[in-house]
Amino acid sequence: MTSTNPLRLRIDGAAGSAAPFEQLRAQIADQARSGRLPAGFKLPTVRGLAEELGLAANTVAKAYRALEADGVIETRGRNGTFVAAGEGSSREAALAAQAYADRAHRLGLTESEALAAATAALRARYAAK
């Protein structure tokens, strides 16, 4: 189903497709990071978007929680949910990279071993898209 709002979201219900919450999370994240959804853009309410896309409200809420944890969106209480400023995702990525570096060092990996493991994980993840 295609959304009529500016988000232009499409949920593929075909067998073998990613879970609806993951499709929703990925599409909003991609649009925010590409600039199609500018920082400060107000997202629809959970219930509103769920109704529009024919999804359960919990599915949309789960996607919004994941996006907020990734720094892509921010909730401003009763004012709504908005696309966060671009540096949020960069900051989150830097924190994740630092945590990985710390863990790899504690495990006794050399720099080249840690880099090879991270590169393999990234290649696998991006190839899965």
Side-chain angles (χ1 to χ4, degrees):
M1 174 181 279
T2 303
S3 171
T4 58
N5 72 42
L7 293 171
R8 292 183 239 172
L9 300 170
R10 184 178 187 292
I11 303 301
D12 185 356
S17 297
F21 101 89
E22 176 56 26
Q23 292 180 52
L24 182 58
R25 186 211 57 77
Q27 289 177 48
I28 292 173
D30 290 345
Q31 290 182 36
R33 289 185 180 119
S34 72
R36 288 187 309 241
L37 291 177
F41 177 85
K42 186 173 183 178
L43 295 167
T45 65
V46 167
R47 285 185 183 171
L49 188 56
E51 183 177 309
E52 188 172 333
L53 294 173
L55 298 172
N58 284 340
T59 299
V60 176
K62 184 176 180 180
Y64 275 19
R65 282 191 304 272
L67 288 162
E68 189 164 23
D70 290 345
V72 176
I73 65 173
E74 59 188 10
T75 301
R76 300 179 190 163
R78 291 185 154 302
N79 292 321
T81 303
F82 299 82
V83 173
E87 66 274 355
S89 58
S90 295
R91 183 179 65 249
E92 289 293 322
L95 290 171
Q98 185 61 54
Y100 171 73
D102 292 344
R103 177 83 172 141
H105 186 264
R106 282 194 309 274
L107 291 170
L109 278 81
T110 65
E111 183 179 345
S112 61
E113 289 170 332
L115 186 56
T119 299
L122 286 167
R123 284 185 181 145
R125 176 63 186 120
Y126 283 92
K129 277 190 159 187

